[in-house]
Amino acid sequence: MRNFKIFAFVAASLLSAALCGCDGKTADAEVAVIELPVPERPAGQEDVIGLALPPMNTVRVGFIGLGMRGPGAVERFTHLDGVKIVALCDIRPERVAFSSDIVTKAGMPEPVGYSGDSTVWKQLCDRDDIDLVYICTDWDTHVPMAVYAMEHGKNVAVEVPATTSLDECWLMVNTAEKTRKHCMMLENCCYDFFEMATLNMAQKGLLGDLVHAEGAYIHDLRSLSFDETPGGYYDMWRLKHNTVHNGNPYPTHGLGPVSQALDINRGDKYDYLVSMSSDQYGIGKYAAKVKGEDSPEAKKDYALGDMNVTMIRTDNGKTIMIQHDVTSPRPYDRKHALSGTKGFIQKYPVEGIAIEPNTHRFLAKEQHDSVMALYTHPIVMEIGEMAKKVGGHGGMDFIMDYRLIYCLRNGLPLDMNVYDAAAWSCIAPLSEISVANNSAPVRVPDFTRGAWNKEKGFKHAMAAAE
């Protein structure tokens, strides 16, 4: 929602009026939460919770965006059964040629290539021989492409975050409901071996009732942002985004896995959030160092604070802390921590499990490894070794793609639906609103429009024979 400052001014005025009596004294009342409109579901539409489409013997795929992420996805798909790579698209013809070589070297037919102007991707979506459009472009093009693809009869898988504004969230949700097509955000961290093991622990009750969770995206991206290294962000699109937006623009890597463990949109939902950002230091100093103090890059007024911390409270009284920092010289960290009434587990900076009766320290390595082996997720047991060989962030990317195709081929609901994509992605614009209003609480819209309690507990759908 681009006009959040105008809305926030109105909200602040209403808040002031609500809290003050006629004599100017503060009333005895709770601090109000900034409320955002939840549009009525368009007539004739129903939710797509549990959406299952007829099984597809062969899933015909078209890829849009062949920069940093796209070619890796293309390569992974050459290892999947029941897949036909029909078409490839990128604005740069050399990227199409590069990815096409990946397909033919794997012994598969050469896909049709599309390149050139900024609208050529529509030609791929217009084809009648594609079932799934896989989108790996910059953030601002995700929703226009996803919506167009769904409107032209395609299922959609879109990179993270799926959206950048609340208006885009609602547009994507409404389109998925109207077209009855799948729209899955490609949140690969949900398929990390460790995250899947902790999900299994939570679902089996090892940690008791979950109370609090933590996630993060702390990753030094300064050199990539300034396109200093091969495979940087094309046309420095990520740096341009950081010039005008504050808050947490990239929340889903840390948020997705813990949200599944907390059954978000499946028995619980986000209620409201508060967000706070530090000032900006890192981007400006790095720009001066690599581009020169008098360079245009060094003189820009970057909006993104170095560290953002966002706290979310759920409807069932759970809390989630999410952090974002891509400009500080510090080790990679997704945090990933689950805290329950019987124990605690974390991945960063050191893997550790603490369970009753001795929760004052982590288990010794032998015990830790034993618990991890015991709670290895069944999907990892099934496909984990192949995933390690194929690769993609240690194999989690391949498991994500495997599950997507598995569900489509078996006519099952996908692991992540359009409401997950909207709820996880909307933290970016909502955190921006909170930061701009002195960390005021902001209500998280219910994109299911009341259906968040329809399913009880997150689960991976499996074919009947399994």
Side-chain angles (χ1 to χ4, degrees):
M1 186 167 290
R2 307 295 184 184
N3 59 342
F4 70 89
K5 288 186 178 179
I6 297 175
F7 181 85
F9 174 79
V10 175
S13 299
L14 293 174
L15 174 61
S16 177
L19 296 182
C20 296
C22 297
D23 59 359
K25 296 180 180 179
T26 302
D28 184 13
E30 295 183 359
V31 175
V33 178
I34 295 176
E35 302 282 351
L36 302 163
V38 175
E40 292 289 329
R41 176 173 280 124
Q45 288 187 190
E46 297 179 356
D47 69 70
V48 288
I49 291 175
L51 176 67
L53 301 179
M56 305 175 191
N57 185 49
T58 299
V59 182
R60 302 166 297 176
V61 189
F63 291 86
I64 306 176
L66 301 168
M68 292 180 68
R69 294 282 291 152
V74 172
E75 200 279 331
R76 295 191 302 273
F77 267 63
T78 66
H79 297 272
L80 291 169
D81 294 332
V83 164
K84 181 180 180 181
I85 300 175
V86 174
L88 304 172
C89 178
D90 192 277
I91 197 170
R92 296 162 292 178
E94 66 272 18
R95 300 304 297 172
V96 175
F98 176 80
S99 297
S100 184
D101 285 346
I102 294 173
V103 178
T104 56
K105 287 178 180 177
M108 303 174 75
E110 182 178 359
V112 178
Y114 295 93
S115 62
D117 66 53
S118 60
T119 62
V120 70
W121 56 269
K122 291 184 177 181
Q123 296 178 34
L124 182 149
C125 296
D126 290 340
R127 297 180 65 96
D128 59 7
D129 59 350
I130 289 178
D131 305 303
L132 172 68
V133 174
Y134 197 107
I135 301 169
C136 300
T137 56
D138 65 276
W139 300 344
D140 290 335
T141 56
H142 286 176
V143 170
M145 290 178 179
V147 166
Y148 187 90
M150 285 188 282
E151 288 178 338
H152 288 76
K154 312 300 187 292
N155 298 290
V156 171
V158 59
E159 267 291 355
V160 300
T163 72
T164 61
S165 72
L166 291 176
D167 289 341
E168 285 187 338
C169 287
W170 287 115
L171 176 59
M172 186 176 65
V173 166
N174 284 337
T175 304
E177 292 182 348
K178 179 180 67 175
T179 62
R180 314 301 293 178
K181 292 296 180 182
H182 290 299
C183 182
M184 170 179 151
M185 183 169 64
L186 294 163
E187 185 37 78
N188 56 347
C189 293
C190 290
Y191 299 93
D192 180 274
F193 291 21
F194 188 91
E195 273 87 326
M196 293 197 78
T198 60
L199 173 65
N200 199 23
M201 292 176 195
Q203 293 179 333
K204 296 284 181 62
L206 179 68
L207 305 177
D209 295 325
L210 293 186
V211 177
H212 175 74
E214 298 178 6
Y217 187 71
I218 298 172
H219 190 185
D220 186 356
L221 297 179
R222 291 174 298 174
S223 62
L224 283 174
S225 295
F226 284 91
D227 207 22
E228 290 183 273
T229 57
Y233 301 104
Y234 176 68
D235 196 28
M236 295 192 289
W237 62 261
R238 193 163 188 156
L239 185 65
K240 292 176 180 178
H241 193 279
N242 295 349
T243 304
V244 295
H245 294 285
N246 202 348
N248 183 337
Y250 200 66
T252 71
H253 283 337
L255 185 60
V258 301
S259 294
Q260 289 185 342
L262 289 168
D263 297 325
I264 298 301
N265 289 334
R266 295 160 183 83
D268 198 0
K269 67 177 179 66
Y270 307 140
D271 185 6
Y272 65 92
L273 65 76
V274 293
S275 187
M276 180 179 294
S277 290
S278 72
D279 285 347
Q280 183 281 123
Y281 296 93
I283 301 178
K285 289 182 180 296
Y286 192 81
K289 175 183 176 182
V290 300
K291 299 292 184 179
E293 293 186 358
D294 294 326
S295 65
E297 292 84 358
K299 292 182 177 180
K300 284 183 180 178
D301 184 16
Y302 297 99
L304 185 69
D306 288 24
M307 171 59 79
N308 174 271
V309 179
T310 298
M311 289 292 301
I312 305 169
R313 183 178 171 86
T314 77
D315 211 62
N316 290 345
K318 314 296 180 68
T319 54
I320 307 170
M321 182 189 74
I322 302 296
Q323 294 181 322
H324 178 272
D325 185 345
V326 295
T327 61
S328 297
R330 53 185 292 182
Y332 183 85
D333 187 352
R334 285 205 311 274
K335 285 207 180 297
H336 189 70
L338 297 175
S339 182
T341 56
K342 294 182 179 180
F344 172 82
I345 188 165
Q346 71 174 27
K347 183 172 183 179
Y348 298 93
V350 177
E351 283 190 19
I353 304 172
I355 51 178
E356 290 185 334
N358 186 3
T359 54
H360 290 283
R361 59 179 60 88
F362 289 133
L363 296 176
K365 185 180 187 306
E366 183 177 344
Q367 293 174 298
H368 173 96
D369 293 346
S370 177
V371 172
M372 290 298 296
L374 179 63
Y375 287 94
T376 299
H377 197 281
I379 291 174
V380 172
M381 295 177 67
E382 171 196 357
I383 200 70
E385 289 306 311
M386 183 178 180
K388 291 176 183 177
K389 294 176 182 177
V390 176
H393 291 96
M396 64 183 180
D397 294 4
F398 179 75
I399 297 179
M400 173 183 69
D401 293 334
Y402 168 81
R403 281 295 300 172
L404 169 60
I405 297 303
Y406 174 91
C407 291
L408 291 175
R409 294 189 70 201
N410 286 281
L412 299 171
L414 303 188
D415 297 342
M416 296 173 282
N417 59 35
V418 70
Y419 307 113
D420 299 320
W424 301 352
S425 299
C426 82
I427 302 306
L430 296 184
S431 64
E432 191 170 4
I433 294 172
S434 180
V435 169
N437 289 276
N438 296 319
S439 301
V442 182
R443 188 79 63 198
V444 181
D446 173 18
F447 296 101
T448 72
R449 295 180 173 104
W452 57 273
N453 214 18
K454 192 173 180 179
E455 292 186 340
K456 305 295 185 180
F458 171 80
K459 62 180 179 296
H460 296 92
M462 305 300 291
E466 302 177 44

